[in-house]
Amino acid sequence: METIGVLAVQGNFREHAAMLRRLGARVVEVRKPEQLDGLDGLVIPGGESTAIMRLIRLYGLEEAIERFTAPIFGTCAGMILLDRNHLGLVDLAVERNGYGRQVASFEADLRLEGDEEPLRGVFIRAPRVVDEGPEVQTLASYEGEPVLLRDGRFLVASFHPELTDDTRVHERFLELVRQEANVRA
Ligand code: GLN
């Protein structure tokens, strides 16, 4: 069984934890750097990226996350934190609240790569990808723009898969965790 940390300083960490437990993972709510030791993966949830960034600096978690070597899944604000302009772990540049004020929050059916069944995407003041490196793979798009991407051991979503009953995106993250554990073993 995998042990997955969920960064629990601000935002939607409870919903991620509940979904991961439903899938059989052991979950640790992470608020201190030493809680990252021994984890098989980490989720950085949505919320308010400026608040999360400030709190992880305050708690000494910024360097600890930079040193962490297992897979990381960032959603919404978590995607912002991982981009080139913040922790710089994923080869992406994103624009905060990039879908504008009028349609700041919306839902849309997305096509998930390798899957026939549409995936309901819940977008809440979502970041928009403005540039991506050559290694980054798109796993789902909205109106031709990438909204679920993978860069090596990183998975990022501009929407909120933890807010629906559909567990497929979290399942993909757990698959990535298992693959990486085999590579590192
Ligand atoms: N707009 C938020 C930010 O910039 C992200 C929104 C979210 O995570 N739902 O941090």
Side-chain angles (χ1 to χ4, degrees):
M1 194 206 280
E2 296 77 31
T3 305
I4 308 295
V6 179
L7 186 69
V9 298
Q10 195 266 336
N12 291 346
F13 55 88
R14 290 179 194 84
E15 291 85 349
H16 278 287
M19 190 161 261
L20 291 163
R21 286 193 184 107
R22 230 172 103 189
L23 293 172
R26 197 177 308 130
V27 175
V28 175
E29 290 190 359
V30 174
R31 298 187 178 85
K32 295 177 192 160
E34 56 273 24
Q35 290 175 314
L36 291 175
D37 295 344
L39 295 179
D40 300 306
L42 176 69
V43 174
I44 305 183
E48 191 51 47
S49 56
T50 47
I52 299 176
M53 200 67 210
R54 192 157 358 109
L55 290 167
I56 66 172
R57 284 199 174 125
L58 193 66
Y59 300 154
L61 275 159
E62 186 179 7
E63 294 78 31
I65 294 170
E66 285 166 357
R67 280 196 310 269
F68 188 70
T69 55
I72 303 184
F73 177 26
T75 58
C76 204
M79 180 196 220
I80 298 171
L81 247 75
L82 290 168
D83 92 340
R84 287 179 195 148
N85 300 316
H86 296 83
L87 297 173
L89 293 170
V90 174
D91 196 7
L92 278 184
V94 308
E95 181 192 354
R96 287 184 68 198
N97 307 322
Y99 290 92
R101 286 176 195 281
Q102 299 305 320
V103 286
S105 300
F106 57 95
E107 293 189 15
D109 278 335
L110 310 173
R111 218 187 64 79
L112 182 60
E113 175 248 82
D115 199 328
E116 288 298 308
E117 202 184 313
L119 177 77
R120 193 72 178 158
V122 178
F123 294 82
I124 305 170
R125 292 162 46 78
R128 188 175 203 157
V129 173
V130 293
D131 192 44
E132 56 186 285
E135 302 295 313
V136 180
Q137 271 176 278
T138 297
L139 303 180
S141 308
Y142 168 69
E143 294 188 339
E145 294 188 29
V147 292
L148 177 67
L149 309 99
R150 177 179 170 184
D151 182 8
R153 67 185 169 97
F154 298 94
L155 184 67
V156 288
S158 51
F159 55 99
H160 288 268
E162 78 286 7
L163 295 182
T164 65
D165 272 339
D166 192 331
T167 55
R168 284 177 291 164
V169 179
H170 287 78
E171 283 169 48
R172 286 199 182 205
F173 178 61
L174 291 178
E175 271 164 38
L176 177 61
V177 165
R178 279 175 217 123
Q179 283 167 14
E180 290 289 314
N182 288 335
V183 171
R184 290 184 304 150

